[in-house]
Amino acid sequence: MRTVDQAAATHFNEVRSAAQVRVRNAYAGKLLPTDLVDLFKTHQWTFAQRAIACGSNPYPLPRASTTLEDVTIQSYGKQFDLADYVSRNRVAGLLVIKDGKVLREHYDLGIDQQTRWPSMSVAKSISTTLVGAAIHDGAIRSVDDLLTRYLPELDGTPYAQVTIKHLLQMATGLSWDEDQTDARSHRRSMLELQLDQKPGAITRYLASRERIAPSGDRWEYSTGEVHIVGALLRATTGQWLCDYLSDKIWSKFSMEQPAQWWLETPGGLEIAGTGLDATLRDFGRFGLFFLNGGHAGGRQVLPDGWVPEATLSRKMGDKQVHYGYMWWPVAAPDGTFVDGAFSARGIFGQYIYINPLHQLIVVTLSARSKPRFAEGGMLDNDFFNAVVQAVR
């Protein structure tokens, strides 16, 4: 006969196992729309989490005197409108800020201003921003330093000759397959380690990869690299990412709601490349913080020139790579980058788009059926460019 404790443990394991199946199905693009929205809203990912404290007086987001009612979007040689974008791209939250004022704020799929939503890879851009803060604080000397200066445990691994800059550019030269829908990929192997919640397992897995190019010569998108960014910040600042983010930005810029971040194990490192959950408005506030050069609470948080440095395209080997320090430069419709626009972006349709020339921020939170872009939707950059045309 089972005891009450045994029955409770069995029930817990059954619930956890079912939740893990749902997470795997989400990454595989096999979760049905209602279930995906429920996962995003309830945060039942089975990962341990840590809170990010906010401020006491939220940074104001005043309404503009006019509202952005509609936009005309040219995508794939066809014309669409705002209703098309929201419905076809399964947008749950949309925020448009121009000159610091809200032109449009829309909620869908059952979420509201209080709902925390997964950022997915938007977290990468936030993590690299904290590297900038650590440099400004003097905790990190330079992006040109080798990682082993601060993480000596990486000596003797393929990371031994990797600089911080190459890590931030995802140009370590180490092998990686980011295909979320392929259960055999590096990314899905990392997901299994996230689900296992064992201390140090992800770092050990990353350090076992093979080198396929010299550091700095080849760009390879890798969620795994960002876990090393998290370890770097923990080693240099002496704080967890959540606490450092709160101290430098979340509380000082006065975000409205506490946020939370997935952990590799209870009490362990944050999964720096994904899993920061926050509200639509607070993602917009982070956009304002970055657009304004990294000031929070009346103090400079980032080094001078960090924002343009972090968001520029670079040449790697013989190729021009439109990727900065885990920020994506966004071209205008004519293919140029004259606006200096860029975005943080995550799978399933999460974006913070920032256009410095037009002082514009667009945030979208979505629940698309596939991690990557799928048929039936429209390109998000086409939507962002349409908003620029509508408000300029």
Side-chain angles (χ1 to χ4, degrees), residues 27 49 118-121 123 260-263 271-277:
Y27 274 82
Q49 299 177 345
S119 63
M120 311 314 287
S121 289
Q260 56 192 23
W261 210 324
W262 300 344
L263 307 180
I271 307 293
T274 186
L276 192 162
D277 302 340

Side-chain angles (χ1 to χ4, degrees), residues 20 44 59 73 116 129 152 293 304 317 321 324 338 358 386 388:
Q20 289 181 340
Q44 294 176 351
Y59 187 92
I73 309 159
R116 285 195 299 265
T129 299
D304 290 340
V321 178
V338 293
H358 296 287
V388 171

Side-chain angles (χ1 to χ4, degrees), residues 37 48 74 79 86 157 164 214 246 256 288 310:
V37 171
Q74 302 292 335
Q79 184 170 297
V86 171
T157 76
I164 293 171
S246 176
E256 190 170 4
L288 283 169

Side-chain angles (χ1 to χ4, degrees), residues 23 34 99 162 241 278 293 296 312 318 353:
V23 170
T34 300
D99 298 324
V162 174
L241 264 69
L312 287 177
D318 59 353
Y353 168 81

Side-chain angles (χ1 to χ4, degrees), residues 73-144:
I73 309 159
Q74 302 292 335
S75 192
Y76 291 118
K78 298 180 180 179
Q79 184 170 297
F80 302 94
D81 59 19
L82 182 60
D84 291 326
Y85 177 72
V86 171
S87 60
R88 293 184 180 222
N89 285 35
R90 290 192 55 78
V91 174
L94 171 64
L95 183 66
V96 180
I97 302 172
K98 175 81 165 72
D99 298 324
K101 296 182 179 180
V102 175
L103 284 179
R104 184 79 186 225
E105 184 175 1
H106 174 75
Y107 296 93
D108 222 307
L109 305 180
I111 82 166
D112 58 28
Q113 286 187 10
Q114 309 303 314
T115 305
R116 285 195 299 265
W117 196 259
S119 63
M120 311 314 287
S121 289
V122 168
K124 292 177 171 65
S125 306
I126 296 174
S127 293
T128 60
T129 299
L130 293 180
V131 173
I135 290 173
H136 185 265
D137 286 348
I140 296 174
R141 187 180 64 174
S142 168
V143 294
D144 295 317

Side-chain angles (χ1 to χ4, degrees), residues 40 85 89-93 117-120 122 345-352 363-368 370-373 380 384:
F40 279 20
Y85 177 72
N89 285 35
R90 290 192 55 78
V91 174
W117 196 259
S119 63
M120 311 314 287
V122 168
R345 71 189 198 193
I347 56 173
F348 301 106
Q350 326 313 324
Y351 285 86
I352 303 175
V363 182
T364 62
L365 305 178
S366 310
R368 300 172 193 172
K370 305 294 182 185
R372 298 290 183 179
F373 187 80
D380 297 276
F384 302 143

Side-chain angles (χ1 to χ4, degrees), residues 276-318:
L276 192 162
D277 302 340
T279 65
L280 178 71
R281 286 175 148 240
D282 284 342
F283 283 127
R285 288 183 174 95
F286 183 83
L288 283 169
F289 161 80
F290 207 73
L291 175 65
N292 295 329
H295 292 82
R299 295 184 178 181
Q300 182 70 28
V301 175
L302 301 177
D304 290 340
W306 180 265
V307 171
E309 171 71 13
T311 57
L312 287 177
S313 301
R314 287 174 174 82
K315 196 159 188 177
M316 295 184 194
D318 59 353

